[in-house]
Structure formats: structure tokens, C-alpha cells
Amino acid sequence: MKIEICCFSLESCLIAEANGASRIELCGGAAEGGTTPSYGLIELARQQVKIPIYVMIRPRGGDFLYNETELAVMRRDIEAAKQAGADGIVLGLLKADGTVDEEKTAELIQLAHPLRATFHRAFDVARDPQEALEAVIRTGAERILTSGQKPSAEAGIPLLKQLAEQANNRIEIMAGAGVTPANAARLAETGVHALHLTAKQVMDSGMEFRNPNVPMASVAMSEFEWLSTSSAVVRAMVEAVK
């Protein structure tokens, strides 16, 4: 059972590796649910971390229907990830009707070759999960990250079991969203190949002077907080699935 940690900083990557994680999903834009990280972060993570690093290729938050200018950015970001030494990419594209955009997804995966690809939780807002699974397999992706089309993977256990059975090892299924050491064993019993979590730890800013009249942050977090990774949670996850 692989444990993938979603990381938004170099520090988090180092914590994830030191505490037994199998793989890193490297992202920027935590408040948007994960967007493409900076080139500098990818490069430094690659230099300092030995476990596989999969780079998020997502030009913005919101839906997964991309126009031509956004696709151009995604292509360039894939090339940059390759240059920086990434092991894989993470992406997900849908059509307006809620089906997987097979043609564009396959094009980007081919561009990334020999890097491997994870199709992310765009899958969870696809119209038909069984149909979407077959479509993702045809694109050449090696795994799907999914919560079983529910707000949390635990709530999505019935569909996760169905997807693992339908996939029949033609593609990996990775459960994500609300994954904790407490539910790890139950999720592992569904037949999925990996578990994905942020293991987040909200850190307090070191700023002593704090101007309360000029907000800078999004609604998700204060500018006097930042995300790191909990060593204890990563270790507990690894132990939970041994």
C-alpha cells in the first residue's frame, strides 16, 4: 500500500520523505485545491528528495474545462516539470458534458512521456464513474485519484470497491480526501492501490507585528498562517497500512 503525501512546500516534501511516504504530489495553490507549483520548488524538491515526485499540472482553481490558452500553459508546465526532473505529472481534463476529455488528456500524457501520469479528482465530478474509468484507462494514465465521487473517501467506499474491481489492475486506484490513520485500514480493504493525504499542519506565522486592517490572504487562511506537513500523521499512516 503506497502512501502519497500532497506537499505545498520544500519543507513538507522533506518531512514526508523522512517519515516514510512512498510518493509526493507536489502542488502550489493550497487555497485553490492545488495548482502547478513553481519551477524553483520542483527543482529543489528533486535535488533534495529521493522518493518519486509527481507535479500537479493545473493552471487555475475551479472546474476542469480548459480553453486553448490554458492548455498552452499546461503544455509548457509539463515541459518544465520534465526539465526539473519530476517523475510524473498529475492532471485531469473534462468536457462540458461531464465526460473525460480523452483526446486532450492523452495528448498531454504523451507530451509528458516518459513521465507517468495520475488523473486527479476531476474524476470525482465526472458524469459517470464507470464510463470515466474506462476513458482514463484509454488515455494512458497509470492511476486515478478519487474519493469515490463523495466529499470524503470514507463516504465513497462503496464506489471505491466497485472501481477497484472494474479496474482489475489495468490502472491503479488511489483513494484521497479525508484519509487519516484512523480510516486507513478500512480504505485499504477496498482494494485500492494507494492512499493520498495532505497530513496538513497549520503553522502560526512568526510575525510579531500584525496589521489587522489590511487583509492579504484568501478566505481559506489568514496571512498569519501557513501549511506544513505533520510528521506524526505521516508516520501513523505508514504504520496503519503495514
Side-chain angles (χ1 to χ4, degrees), residues 133-134 137 162-171 173 193:
L133 174 61
E134 298 300 328
I137 289 173
Q162 293 176 26
L163 293 171
E165 184 176 347
Q166 180 183 342
N168 194 27
N169 290 320
R170 294 176 296 157
I171 191 170
I173 304 296
H193 301 81

Side-chain angles (χ1 to χ4, degrees), residues 14-27:
L14 296 170
I15 291 170
E17 180 178 53
N19 289 279
S22 310
R23 182 172 56 238
I24 288 167
E25 179 192 76
L26 189 59
C27 299

Side-chain angles (χ1 to χ4, degrees), residues 64-65 91-107 109 119-141 144 149 171:
F64 307 102
L65 178 66
L91 78 175
L93 296 85
L94 300 179
K95 293 182 178 179
D97 64 0
T99 59
V100 172
D101 191 330
E102 288 187 53
E103 182 180 355
K104 292 186 176 67
T105 302
E107 175 208 331
I109 290 174
F119 193 96
H120 59 48
R121 289 189 63 216
F123 181 89
D124 287 326
V125 291
R127 183 177 64 189
D128 181 300
Q130 283 76 31
E131 175 187 69
L133 174 61
E134 298 300 328
V136 174
I137 289 173
R138 290 191 292 267
T139 67
I144 295 170
Q149 296 204 331
I171 191 170

